[in-house]
């Protein structure tokens, strides 16, 4: 099963690098059994980023089994529920949706420790926002000044979603 999951991630990465939105399936067949410390529904606990020589990386940290992930380019970012526009500066935007997922526990308390809305000064990535934790979906938006060429994949132990955004070599972070 691991090879099928890896093949799906590679295929999704190829599609996403081509600028076509794609969905990464949840690793249901590889899902470990849940325990008291592992939630049945994935919890989004953090978003972080870093600059590398030829790409910027956005990482979404999870607790529990990775859910289905959809990444697509959108004309603007909007907060789930209210529909209000997210005030991130940029000309291009990516919407990352994880489902089923939450950013809160069963008592309704937030488990998300990352930024809610922040400007970033990397060569490609210019901002990130938590745009929703609504009806079993967690949404995260990213902003760019240039059209993002990106690939998305899952990493394990701990579970996380990675979005790599290419930029010209030699750009300073």
């Amino acid at each position: 099963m691991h090879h099928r999951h890896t093949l799906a991630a590679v295929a999704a990465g190829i599609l996403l690098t081509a600028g076509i939105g794609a969905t990464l399936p949840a690793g249901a067949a590889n899902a470990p059994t849940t325990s008291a410390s592992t939630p049945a529904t994935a919890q989004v606990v953090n978003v972080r980023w870093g600059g590398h020589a030829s790409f910027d990386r956005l990482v979404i940290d999870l607790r529990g089994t990775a859910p289905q992930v959809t990444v697509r380019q959108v004309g603007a970012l909007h907060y789930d529920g209210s529909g209000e526009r997210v005030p991130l500066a940029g000309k291009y935007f990516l919407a990352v949706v994880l489902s089923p997922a939450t950013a809160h526990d069963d008592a309704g308390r937030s488990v998300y420790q990352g930024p809610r809305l922040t400007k970033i000064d990397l060569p490609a990535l210019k901002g990130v926002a938590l745009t929703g934790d609504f009806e079993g979906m967690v949404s995260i938006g990213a902003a760019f000044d240039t059209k993002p060429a990106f690939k998305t994949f899952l990493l394990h132990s701990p579970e996380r979603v990675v979005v790599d955004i290419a930029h010209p070599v030699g750009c300073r972070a």
Side-chain angles (χ1 to χ4, degrees):
M1 286 304 218
H2 181 265
H3 296 292
R4 189 177 310 154
H5 183 69
T6 302
L7 183 59
V10 169
I14 291 167
L15 289 172
L16 291 172
T17 300
I20 300 168
T23 300
L24 294 178
N30 298 337
T33 57
T34 59
S35 68
S37 62
T38 305
T41 298
Q43 293 178 335
V44 176
V45 296
N46 193 23
V47 173
R48 54 195 168 92
W49 54 89
H52 299 272
S54 61
F55 64 95
D56 294 342
R57 175 168 283 180
L58 182 67
V59 178
I60 302 166
D61 294 317
L62 305 170
R63 186 178 301 142
T65 302
Q68 182 171 311
V69 180
T70 303
V71 182
R72 62 187 176 91
Q73 189 170 328
V74 294
L77 296 171
H78 297 274
Y79 288 110
D80 295 345
S82 73
E84 290 182 36
R85 192 168 180 147
V86 176
L88 273 180
K91 295 177 184 159
Y92 299 91
F93 303 94
L94 291 179
V96 182
V97 179
L98 298 90
S99 177
T102 66
H104 60 275
D105 63 19
D106 290 340
R109 292 180 301 258
S110 178
V111 297
Y112 180 75
Q113 301 298 311
R116 303 282 172 169
L117 178 71
T118 192
K119 181 180 177 181
I120 299 169
D121 190 21
L122 289 175
L125 184 61
K126 299 303 178 185
V128 68
L130 177 67
T131 58
D133 177 13
F134 188 70
E135 296 185 347
M137 294 189 297
V138 174
S139 305
I140 295 163
F144 307 89
D145 287 339
T146 58
K147 186 173 182 176
F150 62 95
K151 65 180 179 178
T152 304
F153 52 97
L154 300 173
L155 292 176
H156 307 284
S157 299
E159 295 296 304
R160 58 214 185 271
V161 175
V162 177
V163 181
D164 283 347
I165 307 98
H167 62 72
V169 175
C171 288
R172 58 182 184 86

